[in-house]
Amino acid sequence: MPAQLVFFRFLSQDRIEWRYADGRIRRGAPSEWAAETVGARQILVAPGEALMLNSVAVPSRNRATWGRAVPYALEDQLIEDIESLHFALGSAVDGERLPVAVIGHAALRAWLDVCAQHGLTPVAAIPEPLLIPWREGEWSLLLENRRAVVRMGLWAGFSTERDMLGLLLDRVLSEGGNAKPTGLRIWGWDAASFSEPALSGCERQIETEPGEPLALFASGYQPGATLNLLQGPYGRQTPWGRWLKPWRAAAALAAACLLVQGFTSIYQHWRLQQETLALGAEMERVYKDALPDATRIVNPKAQLEAHLKELRPSGGGEGVFLDLLNRGAQPLIAASEVVLRGFNYRDGQLDLSLQGGNPAALDQLRQQLNQQPGLQAEMRTSQREGQIESKVTLKKAAP
């Protein structure tokens, strides 16, 4: 008779939640649970905030070389040094892509050390986003009190705090192009009132069963198509128990230190990721403010630098642009009804695109520009959809 599967996850440093094979769920200290699950196959549910799910092109036909090639294929997308990270490969190839989970050695070792300290021997550690039931063309969402777990595909998903869910959904959809799902299945806390503009057009299906997260994870477990973090140096062949036995007292102290360090590293990594997302969104906002007519934003920093280079005149006199911009800005400040929509500079000529105002205000603006010594100003005005639009051309007057 095959051993029963028991799923568990860490709720804090010294508290876990576990689900018996018959569906009962309990919470308590690891030592309480270890004695009750002797002989069971223990599955650790790994929190999605501590890891990243990704995929790479299949490095070669020789699977034995994939473990060495994958870290360098993902190096440009990672903040930490690859030596501090563990790369777990999926059990199957998805088309021409190889699923990969990336997690810090410190975090994974901290979990395993606590397990070993209390006599727990998980046979697998599965990222929680990959344990939510999923169907082709749909996304699955588990809502807990302060966090959310999203599964977007067979090997794709993430976990985050509820406050950050909208921002991450916008990010994923903007990077994925036409990846918006046709349907959305929602489990968990306050699922009926879930509302995010990014998924407003999706057909929603509120699921009431299973009602507990661990029960949901157990229902989505597929041994034949999974991604187990316990591979390579963390595989079952590693004699963790024998290694720790003669050093049990020292291991207990080290486990506590590593656990604290692991949770601290996870939090710092998460905070850095959120700051990176916020900075990216702010860069896009600044770019759109500077160039409101831009329609395609790929790399705001590089694109803005390219536009700034275009503002430099090709034949010397780099101070001409700033001088023309300063002279044009002074009258515009006083013309409160006129709005600057954009500008363009090339070869000693500055073009300003304006909107609003009335004929009298625009005529006064033109006079103020022409009254400045050494400045030549031309204004062309048109009306479109009830709005007055003007184009002002400024350049140095001939001596």
Side-chain angles (χ1 to χ4, degrees):
M1 182 177 179
Q4 295 180 330
L5 289 178
V6 177
F7 290 81
F8 73 101
R9 63 174 179 169
F10 285 94
L11 299 177
S12 63
Q13 298 180 14
D14 56 356
R15 186 174 175 82
I16 63 174
E17 178 183 54
W18 66 92
R19 177 187 181 274
Y20 294 101
D22 61 4
R24 289 178 298 132
I25 293 177
R26 284 193 57 190
R27 298 168 183 86
S31 56
E32 299 175 11
W33 175 60
E36 301 183 21
T37 57
V38 176
R41 288 172 54 85
Q42 302 162 6
I43 307 294
L44 170 60
V45 179
E49 294 92 337
L51 51 89
M52 178 183 73
L53 296 174
N54 210 320
S55 65
V56 298
V58 176
S60 67
R61 295 184 179 180
N62 185 5
R63 188 180 179 95
T65 66
W66 292 359
R68 296 189 299 271
V70 165
Y72 297 98
L74 291 172
E75 186 174 15
D76 292 340
Q77 304 178 37
L78 303 171
I79 299 174
E80 297 93 335
D81 189 283
I82 59 174
E83 299 299 327
S84 67
L85 300 172
H86 171 59
F87 298 81
L89 311 184
S91 59
V93 175
D94 187 10
E96 296 297 324
R97 307 289 294 182
L98 175 65
V100 181
V102 184
I103 186 172
H105 283 296
L108 187 52
R109 284 172 182 158
W111 298 336
L112 294 178
D113 286 343
V114 172
C115 290
Q117 179 185 353
H118 295 284
L120 306 177
T121 56
V123 298
I126 313 296
E128 62 180 356
L130 302 185
L131 288 174
I132 302 179
W134 170 81
R135 294 191 296 234
E136 187 72 30
E138 296 181 342
W139 284 9
S140 300
L141 174 62
L142 168 63
L143 298 175
E144 297 191 77
N145 187 19
R146 296 184 178 180
R147 59 193 302 271
V149 185
V150 182
R151 185 171 187 178
M152 305 170 294
L154 184 60
W155 304 102
F158 64 89
S159 303
T160 183
E161 290 186 355
R162 288 287 296 269
D163 294 341
M164 298 298 300
L165 180 59
L167 178 62
L168 291 181
L169 288 174
D170 288 336
R171 188 77 174 185
V172 169
L173 291 172
S174 65
E175 292 177 350
N178 297 324
K180 190 171 184 178
T182 57
L184 180 65
R185 301 173 70 191
I186 310 176
W187 287 265
W189 188 82
D190 204 20
S193 62
F194 172 77
S195 176
E196 284 293 347
L199 299 176
S200 58
C202 299
E203 182 179 353
R204 301 184 184 184
Q205 180 177 343
I206 306 300
E207 305 282 359
T208 57
E209 296 291 337
E212 291 282 349
L214 274 184
L216 180 64
F217 296 145
S219 68
Y221 178 62
Q222 299 181 10
T226 188
L227 201 162
N228 184 7
L229 300 177
L230 302 186
Q231 53 183 265
Y234 302 100
R236 293 194 66 190
Q237 68 274 15
T238 303
W240 287 96
R242 294 195 302 272
W243 181 80
L244 284 174
K245 188 173 182 179
W247 306 95
R248 188 169 299 275
L253 179 60
C257 294
L258 285 173
L259 190 60
V260 173
Q261 181 182 358
F263 276 100
T264 302
S265 299
I266 293 170
Y267 176 75
Q268 291 176 344
H269 175 68
W270 174 83
R271 288 295 303 172
L272 189 57
Q273 283 185 323
Q274 309 315 308
E275 290 175 6
T276 301
L277 289 174
L279 285 174
E282 181 65 16
M283 288 179 65
E284 291 186 8
R285 186 192 66 77
V286 172
Y287 182 85
K288 290 178 180 178
D289 288 344
L291 299 166
D293 296 331
T295 57
R296 185 171 182 266
I297 302 176
V298 179
N299 187 332
K301 179 181 178 182
Q303 289 176 262
L304 193 57
E305 288 178 350
H307 281 288
L308 288 175
K309 288 181 180 178
E310 293 179 0
L311 296 177
R312 299 174 182 169
S314 58
E318 296 187 359
V320 174
F321 163 66
L322 294 178
D323 181 56
L324 292 176
L325 186 63
N326 180 53
R327 289 179 173 224
Q330 294 177 8
L332 276 175
I333 294 175
S336 59
E337 298 178 357
V338 182
V339 178
L340 176 64
R341 304 299 298 175
F343 63 85
N344 182 55
Y345 177 82
R346 187 180 297 276
D347 295 333
Q349 178 175 302
L350 177 63
D351 294 323
L352 306 177
S353 297
L354 310 178
Q355 187 180 68
N358 54 60
L362 292 172
D363 184 62
Q364 184 179 3
L365 175 61
R366 181 183 58 79
Q367 293 179 18
Q368 291 177 347
L369 290 170
N370 281 318
Q371 287 173 0
Q372 299 188 46
L375 182 66
Q376 180 180 343
E378 297 180 2
M379 178 181 291
R380 297 179 296 280
T381 303
S382 61
Q383 188 167 359
R384 184 172 61 181
E385 298 180 357
Q387 284 281 350
I388 297 179
E389 297 184 355
S390 307
K391 183 175 182 180
V392 176
T393 300
L394 302 178
K395 56 186 176 181
K396 290 281 189 176

